[in-house]
Amino acid sequence: RGASGARRDGRDLTREWRRKFAGQFVHDRAGFEAIDPARSTHLLGLFERSHMEYEVARARDAGGEPSLAEMTAKAIDILARNPRGYFLMVEGGRIDHGHHAGNAYRALTDTIALSEAVRAALAQVDLRDTLVIVTADHSHVFTMAGYPSRGNNILGLVRDVPNKDGEALANSTDSNGLPYTTLGYHNGPGVRVGGRPDLTSVDTTNLNFLQEAVIPLGSETHAGEDVAIYARGPKAS
């Protein structure tokens, strides 16, 4: 907004798109909320110069970037007017980015945002004639470790179930006597030079904390596990 693009040929692709499809183009929340689904047939929303914000940063977006759930709901309102039906793909793409950064906080909060988008979709469609599929394109080298007690903070240190009910929970420790987090990565930027640190006084629930990794890489990698496919609606089986 308020700046030209990086194209060298001077073309304005958003303008060309609007002319071709008689469509509407929005770039901020005000424009998004002003769209009446009953009067719109083609809608293009580009809210960032590159990737969308992480969910944890969306509230601070200057343009008021809509959530994945809000965009999903608006898209269904528009597409559902087509008597021939529709196909809609919704992607929580920054889940992947959070994992590559070795940052479980951002990855998991964007996973919650995707879950809310699925909930929004299920609230609007008729499952008698609409098939909803939720899946992933790959796994990550992301894992849970230890035996954390029920209710233990997923981003926190592992605290074992006590030997006797009612006993205070204590941090689980490795063979060197150091505590460790429930979540970790096999590889990525979370490797600590010089060996494992003492995390006893570290806030591992902090937004910017990088879970520990074993193999040092600038970016965590994908993995090879099968991914689940969940489905509801016609022929879901």
Side-chain angles (χ1 to χ4, degrees):
R1 183 179 181 181
S4 61
R7 295 186 66 91
R8 296 181 180 180
D9 57 12
R11 293 176 62 187
D12 183 340
L13 298 186
T14 57
R15 181 178 299 172
E16 293 179 23
W17 181 88
R18 280 179 287 176
R19 286 176 177 173
K20 181 174 182 179
F21 296 105
Q24 296 165 285
F25 168 63
V26 296
H27 58 79
D28 57 17
R29 175 169 288 277
F32 177 80
E33 293 182 343
I35 294 296
D36 180 0
R39 304 168 69 93
S40 178
T41 58
H42 293 75
L43 175 62
L44 173 64
L46 298 175
F47 303 100
E48 297 289 343
R49 297 181 185 276
S50 181
H51 300 294
M52 301 287 281
E53 298 283 354
Y54 281 108
E55 179 63 19
V56 293
R58 188 171 57 79
R60 299 190 298 275
D61 178 64
E65 179 183 296
S67 69
L68 197 61
E70 290 170 327
M71 289 187 285
T72 299
K74 182 84 76 173
I76 292 175
D77 283 339
I78 295 172
L79 294 171
R81 293 169 49 220
N82 188 337
R84 299 175 60 190
Y86 62 90
F87 171 83
L88 172 64
M89 177 178 170
V90 177
E91 181 180 15
R94 302 227 69 184
I95 299 169
D96 180 67
H97 293 171
H99 282 313
H100 282 307
N103 181 226
Y105 193 116
R106 287 182 172 85
L108 294 180
T109 48
D110 268 57
T111 302
I112 293 171
L114 175 63
S115 178
E116 291 172 347
V118 174
R119 184 181 295 113
L122 290 174
Q124 287 184 251
V125 304
D126 185 343
L127 289 174
R128 293 174 298 179
D129 63 12
T130 305
L131 175 64
V132 178
I133 301 172
V134 181
T135 189
D137 54 342
H138 56 74
S139 65
H140 283 267
V141 292
F142 182 56
T143 189
M144 298 177 65
Y147 304 98
S149 61
R150 183 180 296 275
N152 205 59
N153 191 320
I154 191 65
L155 296 171
L157 299 173
V158 172
R159 295 184 302 167
D160 266 331
V161 177
N163 292 324
K164 295 182 180 180
D165 288 343
E167 289 185 348
L169 300 181
N171 289 337
S172 303
T173 56
D174 65 10
S175 57
N176 294 317
L178 297 174
Y180 55 90
T181 57
T182 301
L183 301 177
Y185 292 93
H186 181 63
N187 60 39
V191 173
R192 272 57 171 186
V193 177
R196 295 201 59 237
D198 185 350
L199 299 175
T200 304
S201 301
V202 175
D203 181 9
T204 61
T205 68
N206 183 276
L207 167 65
N208 295 310
F209 179 79
L210 299 186
Q211 275 61 38
E212 289 184 273
V214 179
I215 300 171
L217 289 177
S219 176
E220 177 265 359
T221 69
H222 298 166
E225 296 93 343
D226 291 336
V227 296
I229 302 176
Y230 304 93
R232 292 180 64 184
K235 298 185 178 181
S237 60

